[in-house]
Amino acid sequence: MLRVALTGGIACGKSTVLKMFQQQDLDRIFTLSADSLVHKLYEPSSPVYKQVVEAFGETILTPEKKIDRGKLADAAFPDPEKRKKLEAIVHPAVIKGEMDWMEQVAREHPRAQIGLIEIPLLFETGSEKRFDKTIAVTCSPEQKLERFRQRHRNLGESESRSEVERRSQAQLPCEEKARRADFVIDNSKGLSELDAAVRRTCKQILESVK
């Protein structure tokens, strides 16, 4: 089974592409979002939860004592040292979760040919070394902003632009991600064009397994 990583800039449509890959072949293609792993790691029963709260304080918690990811981002991302501290806590646990998932898929699904994981900071963390193939999703800066605003309707245009720029500064430029990836999927057009690009890339990856 090929281990494939999917990455891209903020609001480029990585999650949409991940779902499209899953729909290509339910018996041979299995997908996972690293963000879903982080969500589980932030549950109060997780050791990571305790470490994060100890590092950033209870001000990042909701009234129900759950980690508010927005508050955590505000506390960690503006300060490079605090961001590194958060990454040092979370990334090892995420990597272990990804590898455990890959092993489970290979063990429980003998026909599986692709295990695809969405990892936003793939190249930034050097995680590409753990995968056989990599895919980068790209789109224009204007589309990033528009898609981000659709997700965060409580923010005005200037606030959204500032937030996109702030988050993008913590990542490699999309052009660099595309340069490093084995495959690039352009998400600057419509859904039909995106679906065609996913199908084409999926076919190329499956052919490389043969």
Side-chain angles (χ1 to χ4, degrees):
M1 182 182 77
L2 278 182
R3 301 185 176 202
V4 183
L6 174 72
T7 193
I10 180 174
C12 277
K14 299 181 295 295
S15 297
T16 300
V17 171
L18 190 75
K19 292 176 183 176
M20 287 183 170
F21 264 98
Q22 176 68 75
Q23 294 166 358
Q24 299 305 308
D25 193 324
L26 297 179
D27 290 330
R28 295 190 295 171
I29 302 174
F30 293 81
T31 63
L32 174 71
S33 168
D35 193 61
S36 67
L37 285 177
V38 173
H39 183 76
K40 291 179 181 178
L41 292 173
Y42 284 169
E43 291 178 355
S45 59
S46 167
V48 169
Y49 171 94
K50 182 179 179 181
Q51 294 178 55
V52 170
V53 174
E54 286 178 349
F56 293 93
E58 294 194 0
T59 56
I60 64 168
L61 299 178
T62 68
E64 296 76 28
K65 299 299 181 182
K66 295 182 179 179
I67 291 177
D68 184 318
R69 296 183 65 172
K71 291 181 179 178
L72 177 59
D74 290 340
F77 291 140
D79 186 326
E81 290 304 314
K82 289 183 178 179
R83 188 177 73 242
K84 289 179 182 177
K85 180 188 291 186
L86 179 61
E87 291 172 351
I89 295 171
V90 176
H91 283 175
V94 170
I95 291 171
K96 183 180 185 305
E98 291 168 354
M99 294 301 96
D100 288 347
W101 177 81
M102 285 285 192
E103 291 175 3
Q104 181 181 358
V105 170
R107 183 173 62 250
E108 296 180 0
H109 303 278
R111 295 187 70 245
Q113 292 188 324
I114 294 176
L116 177 64
I117 302 180
E118 175 195 350
I119 306 177
L121 298 178
L122 176 72
F123 297 114
E124 292 84 348
T125 58
S127 296
E128 74 274 14
K129 301 181 186 71
R130 298 184 285 107
F131 293 87
D132 303 304
K133 300 291 182 182
T134 58
I135 305 168
V137 183
T138 64
C139 70
S140 70
E142 294 77 15
Q143 288 169 321
K144 282 186 186 182
L145 177 59
E146 179 58 30
R147 289 166 183 164
F148 185 85
R149 289 190 66 190
Q150 289 176 2
R151 290 190 216 160
H152 302 83
R153 296 185 182 275
N154 59 314
L155 299 179
E157 182 174 355
S158 61
E159 292 175 304
S160 295
R161 189 178 299 277
S162 296
E163 185 63 17
V164 169
E165 290 175 356
R166 181 175 71 83
R167 296 192 187 189
S168 296
Q169 287 174 358
Q171 301 186 13
L172 289 171
C174 284
E175 296 80 9
E176 179 62 18
K177 291 176 187 269
R179 188 187 69 80
R180 296 191 187 189
D182 297 303
F183 302 94
V184 178
I185 293 178
D186 178 11
N187 188 19
S188 63
K189 301 173 184 176
L191 282 176
S192 60
E193 289 86 354
L194 179 62
D195 182 68
V198 169
R199 290 176 182 275
R200 184 167 56 250
T201 304
C202 183
K203 181 181 179 182
Q204 291 172 336
I205 294 175
L206 285 173
E207 286 176 347
S208 72
V209 180
K210 298 176 182 178

